[in-house]
Amino acid sequence: MTTTGADHATAVTGPWWWSRWRSAVLDGALALVSALECGAEGIPFARDAGIPLSAGIVFGLLAGSVLLLRRKWPIAVVLVAIAITPAQMGFLMGIVGLYTLAAAELPRRIIVALAGMSLVGTMIVTFVRVKQDMARGDLTLGDWFVPFAAVTTSLGLTAPPLLLGLYVGARRRLMESLRERADSLERELQLLAERAEERAEWARGEERTRIAREMHDVVAHRVSLMVVHAAALQAVARKDPEKAVKNAALVGDMGRQALTELREMLGVLRSGETAQRRTAPASASVSVSVVSASASGSVPLAAVGVAAAAAASRVVEEEGPWLSELDVLIGQSAAAGMVVDLSVEGDVRSYAAEIEQTAFRVVQEALTNVHKHAAGAKTHVRLAHRVAEIAMQVENEPPPEPASAASAGLPSGGNGLVGMRERVLGLGGVFVSGPTDAGGFRVSAVIPAA
């Protein structure tokens, strides 16, 4: 993992302006060597200048120790090195100072100016010293050697540390840039990972909501009708065995339809083999429920159980639901004792599967709510096929017996209207529901046909 700039700022462990103790020790060692060098060179300087040797040594020690400040004030170190060049002092300080200056984050014009001053100063001092040595006879070479020695010496003391410092500085800046890019990329990847996790969590929530809505739509209507028929079966079992058998067959048929829809849904969530293993026990449980519901009767319940089991065992694969099945849906509600009036406006045509299924579920859930909360109330179902949309409305009148819903024992989770609204709004439609002035309840939805 990379280290960010903030981490660098908090990682300073050295004294004063040094970031690390290793850097402080290195600068201290260089300053000590430079001070000893300048102190030794201060002896001939004191003789030539006619000052006491101790003064020359102290001057050299002080001048050489300035190298300790090379990281803090590299310009000052180079200026001091240039200043003591006529005294033939500070060769190490000049070389290290130029290197530090070139590697530092300073404007190029300042680096070029100071490097030029150091080059010119070294060239002049070398030219004068070589000229004096040749005049004293210490050197017997030709006159050509004086400028040659001055140029080569000045270039040798200036160019290598300057070029090395420029290279090290450029490399350091490149590494810092790469580190910053790596840090930025790491932060972006972390942000993308967090966003991906949020999107995954949102998708999981949406999927859970969709599954819950589908389960509610599949189970609520069928089971509500089954409970209503079971109650009716219990009521007529003693008086009309044939009607009891018919009601048991209706319960079984509704159970078959519920199982078919559940099977299609569960097939997406688990393997078909597991779903097939679960189908038979589920069918058996439906049959047992029907028989239990009619256990209080004295009719030949074996016939009732056989009829319910035979109807529930007819599990066939089917797609949908489609709007063409509204007649069957309304017929089931009518068989349960509800008076339903269906009216269709416009030219009947087919729509996309999702649109037809949503429209069907809206009508189905609205009828389920009537069974739950207004049993026995007359209900009007209106379906309108328009040019660019399909509209539906389910409105029930006040129930004749307000306590009928409670007597049926139908629980309500309060998710039906929410699920209908989610379905319709998900397709870009409009959904409105609420009580009517007459004391009933109305559910209206408009879905775009495209």
Side-chain angles (χ1 to χ4, degrees):
M1 182 176 291
T2 58
T3 305
T4 61
D7 296 332
H8 282 298
T10 58
V12 178
T13 59
W16 297 340
W17 57 83
W18 287 283
S19 60
R20 294 174 295 180
W21 276 99
R22 185 176 63 181
S23 301
V25 172
L26 176 62
D27 289 354
L30 291 175
L32 178 61
V33 175
S34 177
L36 294 177
E37 177 204 352
C38 293
E41 293 169 349
I43 297 176
F45 169 71
R47 292 173 181 173
D48 295 340
I51 59 176
L53 293 179
S54 58
I57 295 174
V58 172
F59 175 75
L61 291 175
L62 293 176
S65 61
V66 175
L67 189 58
L68 187 67
L69 308 176
R70 72 182 188 95
R71 296 180 190 268
K72 185 69 173 177
W73 295 296
I75 297 177
V77 174
V78 175
L79 289 177
V80 172
I82 295 174
I84 63 176
T85 298
Q88 292 187 333
M89 290 184 184
F91 293 102
L92 177 62
M93 184 169 59
I95 294 174
V96 177
L98 284 175
Y99 164 79
T100 307
L101 179 71
E105 297 288 342
L106 292 173
R108 288 297 177 89
R109 62 179 182 274
I110 296 179
I111 298 175
V112 172
L114 293 177
M117 292 171 59
S118 178
L119 176 68
V120 173
T122 304
M123 185 182 300
I124 294 174
V125 171
T126 305
F127 184 88
V128 172
R129 290 296 183 181
V130 173
K131 190 71 173 179
Q132 290 177 353
D133 292 341
M134 293 185 67
R136 288 195 303 265
D138 296 338
L139 296 174
T140 57
L141 299 175
D143 293 339
W144 61 269
F145 183 73
V146 177
F148 175 78
V151 173
T152 54
T153 302
S154 60
L155 288 177
L157 295 176
T158 305
L162 184 66
L163 295 178
L164 181 61
L166 291 174
Y167 167 75
V168 172
R171 184 176 181 276
R172 183 183 301 161
R173 287 188 290 271
L174 176 61
M175 295 301 295
E176 291 178 355
S177 175
L178 293 177
R179 185 183 295 110
E180 291 177 357
R181 291 182 181 180
D183 294 338
S184 177
L185 179 60
E186 184 178 356
R187 289 191 294 268
E188 291 179 1
L189 291 177
Q190 184 177 1
L191 182 60
L192 289 176
E194 293 176 356
R195 290 181 177 177
E197 181 63 26
E198 292 177 358
R199 288 195 295 268
E201 183 63 28
W202 176 83
R204 286 193 292 268
E206 288 292 317
E207 187 65 15
R208 286 193 296 267
T209 302
R210 187 187 67 82
I211 293 174
R213 184 170 58 242
E214 293 289 343
M215 295 289 289
H216 178 273
D217 291 341
V218 169
V219 174
H221 180 74
R222 306 295 185 191
V223 174
S224 297
L225 292 179
M226 290 170 65
V227 172
V228 172
H229 279 291
L233 187 151
Q234 184 179 5
V236 303
R238 294 179 181 272
K239 301 177 182 180
D240 193 349
E242 294 182 0
K243 187 175 182 180
V245 172
K246 182 179 178 181
N247 287 341
L250 289 175
V251 172
D253 187 63
M254 294 173 191
R256 175 188 61 80
Q257 295 176 6
L259 286 175
T260 300
E261 296 179 355
L262 285 173
R263 183 179 182 183
E264 293 175 356
M265 188 185 313
L266 295 177
V268 181
L269 304 178
R270 54 190 175 185
S271 63
E273 182 179 357
T274 305
Q276 291 173 2
R277 289 201 303 267
R278 299 290 179 84
T279 301
S283 303
S285 64
V286 173
S287 301
V288 172
S289 300
V290 174
V291 174
S292 299
S294 60
S296 60
S298 60
V299 298
L301 295 180
V304 178
V306 169
S313 62
R314 294 191 300 268
V315 180
V316 294
E317 294 293 337
E318 58 184 13
E319 297 180 354
W322 308 104
L323 287 176
S324 58
E325 302 174 12
L326 278 181
D327 293 334
V328 178
L329 177 67
I330 293 175
Q332 294 173 352
S333 296
M338 179 188 297
V339 180
V340 187
D341 178 24
L342 173 64
S343 63
V344 180
E345 302 176 3
D347 297 331
V348 178
R349 64 182 188 275
S350 61
Y351 300 90
E354 191 173 11
I355 296 176
E356 291 207 15
Q357 292 171 8
T358 300
F360 184 91
R361 293 300 188 193
V362 169
V363 176
Q364 182 186 59
E365 180 59 30
L367 293 177
T368 301
N369 288 340
V370 176
H371 282 293
K372 288 182 179 181
H373 307 290
K378 185 176 181 179
T379 305
H380 303 275
V381 179
R382 299 180 179 88
L383 187 65
H385 298 274
R386 300 170 183 170
V387 177
E389 61 190 16
I390 177 173
M392 64 224 66
Q393 178 178 292
V394 179
E395 180 179 351
N396 64 274
E397 299 177 358
E401 299 179 6
S404 59
S407 63
L410 293 173
S412 177
N415 297 317
L417 294 177
V418 175
M420 285 190 285
R421 180 181 299 275
E422 290 176 350
R423 284 180 178 274
V424 174
L425 295 183
L427 296 178
V430 178
F431 180 84
V432 179
S433 63
T436 62
D437 295 337
F441 198 84
R442 181 188 299 119
V443 173
S444 302
V446 179
I447 304 175

